[in-house]
Amino acid sequence: MVETDSDEIWVRQAKAGDLSAFEALVSRHEGRVYSLAQRMLRQEQDAEDVVQQTFLSALEHLAGFREESSFATWLARIATHAALKIIRRRQSRDATATVSLEQNTEPQPGYDTIPHPEYIADWRQSPHKLLEQKELRQTIEGALETLDEKHRLVFLLRDVEGLSVRDTAQTLGLSEANVKVRLLRARLQLREKLTTAFGDPARRLVGGHTHEAGAAAVS
Amino acid sequence: MKCEELLAMLNEYVDGTVDPAICQDFERHLAGCNPCQVVVDNIRHTITLYKDGQPYELPAEFRRRLHTTLRQRWLETHAS
Ligand SMILES: [Zn+2]
C-alpha cells in the first residue's frame, strides 16, 4: 500500500531529525487516533488528551520504534494504553461500578448463550457506499455506543485496530477464551443493529430455525 | 452441522482460522443455508464499516494547539 510505504519513508526521515516528516505523520494519523479514542472513551476532552499523549509519546520514543509493526499499529497501541488508563481511573472513581474491565463476567466459555440472529437480510448498500453518507454516521457510531464497554473494547482492538486475539487479551488483561466470546457477542450485536437499519426488508429471510432441510439437501 | 454450531464458530471462519477438517463441514453447510450465508456476509460488512470509517475529526482549535505543542517539544528535544 502506498500509504504504508510513505509512512516508512517519513518515519525514517523523522528519526533522522526531520520535523516536517514527523508533522506529516501526525497529520495523516491524527484523525484515526482521535476516532479510536472517541470510540473507546465517548468523551471529547478525554479523547483529545489521548491524542496529545499519543503523539508526544510517539515523538519521545520514535528512535525506539523498531518498525516490526506498521506506524499506524504502533500509534494505536500507545493510544489504547492511554485510553485504558482513563477508563480504569473512571472505574475506580465510580463507586457504583462493581464490574471492572478485567472481571470475568461471561458465562464461560458460554457459546450456548450466544444470541440468535433475528433480522437476516442483505444490506441495501455496500459498507463503502454507507460510509460516504455523513448523515448515517450517527446510526453507525450509535450502534457501537450501545455495546457494553467490555464488548466494545474487544471489538475495537481486535476488529478495528487488527490486534491478534492474544494481543487483545494481553492488552485488556483477559483470557483469550474470554476475548473470543466477547468478540462473537459484539459482532452479532452490531450485525443485528446494523442489519435492522441497513437491511433490505424485501429480502429479509426467516431466521431462528435450524435450516436442516437446506443443509441436508447438499450433504 | 447445524446453524447453531456454525454460529459458534463464526469468529474462526470470519478470521480464517477454522481447522481445515471442520472448515469443509462449515463450507458445506454454508452452501446450502442462505440465512447463514447472509449472516456471515453481514458480519464481514459490519467489520468493514467500522474498520474503514474514520468518523471523528479533530476540532480545529485542538488541532492547532496539538501541532504547536508537538513542534515546541520537537525543538526542545532536538536542540543539541
Ligand atoms: Zn445455517
Side-chain angles (χ1 to χ4, degrees):
Chain A
M1 235 167 89
V2 178
E3 191 164 293
T4 320
D5 286 353
S6 58
D7 268 3
E8 284 173 11
I9 293 167
W10 283 342
V11 165
R12 220 171 304 141
Q13 290 171 341
K15 278 181 173 176
D18 182 347
L19 171 59
S20 66
F22 182 73
E23 288 186 315
L25 286 167
V26 176
S27 295
R28 173 178 286 167
H29 293 281
E30 61 194 4
R32 195 164 169 82
V33 172
Y34 184 60
S35 293
L36 173 63
Q38 276 274 17
R39 283 168 161 180
M40 285 183 80
L41 299 165
R42 295 181 301 173
Q43 209 275 338
E44 189 175 311
Q45 184 62 52
D46 286 346
E48 289 182 3
D49 286 349
V50 165
V51 172
Q52 173 140 336
Q53 281 179 45
T54 300
F55 286 108
L56 280 172
S57 176
L59 190 161
E60 194 180 331
H61 296 107
L62 192 62
F65 169 47
R66 292 162 52 152
E67 299 174 56
E68 285 158 356
S69 62
S70 71
F71 185 70
T73 304
W74 186 61
L75 285 179
R77 270 170 211 259
I78 299 174
T80 299
H81 284 288
L84 285 174
K85 231 180 248 173
I86 293 173
I87 288 170
R88 295 203 168 101
R89 203 182 310 144
R90 281 181 189 167
Q91 285 173 341
S92 65
R93 198 176 43 202
D94 184 1
T96 59
T98 50
V99 179
S100 87
L101 198 59
E102 291 81 6
Q103 216 160 321
N104 227 325
T105 51
E106 298 294 342
Q108 278 278 354
Y111 285 109
D112 46 331
T113 57
I114 294 300
H116 204 93
E118 293 292 328
Y119 197 110
I120 302 177
D122 282 319
W123 291 5
R124 297 186 298 274
Q125 289 177 301
S126 74
H128 291 114
K129 272 269 173 290
L130 294 169
L131 285 173
E132 284 168 12
Q133 299 159 64
K134 289 255 182 270
E135 69 276 15
L136 298 179
R137 195 193 100 168
Q138 191 42 48
T139 307
I140 297 169
E141 295 307 310
L144 190 60
E145 281 178 26
T146 63
L147 292 190
D148 285 350
E149 190 160 80
K150 59 182 188 169
H151 292 121
R152 199 175 70 246
L153 293 178
V154 166
F155 179 79
L156 286 172
L157 296 194
R158 175 76 188 95
D159 279 343
V160 179
E161 297 307 322
L163 266 63
S164 66
V165 170
R166 176 196 276 206
D167 285 351
T168 305
Q170 229 162 37
T171 304
L172 296 177
L174 299 168
S175 70
E176 289 185 35
N178 204 271
V179 164
K180 286 182 190 170
V181 177
R182 289 185 186 191
L183 182 64
L184 182 57
R185 286 182 167 275
R187 285 172 167 181
L188 285 169
Q189 281 177 38
L190 288 172
R191 189 214 70 84
E192 195 69 47
K193 283 187 203 304
L194 295 175
T195 305
T196 305
F198 302 137
D200 184 350
R203 290 153 77 194
R204 184 173 178 181
L205 300 171
V206 181
H209 304 296
T210 50
H211 311 291
E212 287 191 276
V218 290
S219 58
Chain B
M1 186 180 285
K2 291 187 199 154
C3 296
E4 284 73 17
E5 296 172 273
L6 184 133
L7 203 61
M9 286 200 311
L10 216 53
N11 275 348
E12 285 75 9
Y13 185 74
V14 170
D15 299 340
T17 55
V18 186
D19 185 319
I22 302 170
C23 197
Q24 247 185 354
D25 282 358
F26 201 108
E27 296 281 7
R28 200 177 303 135
H29 177 98
L30 262 193
C33 183
N34 198 222
C36 281
Q37 276 169 31
V38 174
V39 168
V40 168
D41 197 52
N42 286 165
I43 287 186
R44 290 204 165 116
H45 284 167
T46 297
I47 294 169
T48 303
L49 200 58
Y50 291 106
K51 200 178 171 71
D52 292 359
Q54 188 180 291
Y56 298 92
E57 268 174 45
L58 275 66
E61 174 52 32
F62 166 63
R63 185 171 188 274
R64 239 186 326 272
R65 261 187 291 127
L66 173 70
H67 283 255
T68 304
T69 304
L70 291 172
R71 207 169 302 134
Q72 278 169 357
R73 181 68 65 87
W74 181 279
L75 295 173
E76 283 163 25
T77 53
H78 292 75
S80 53

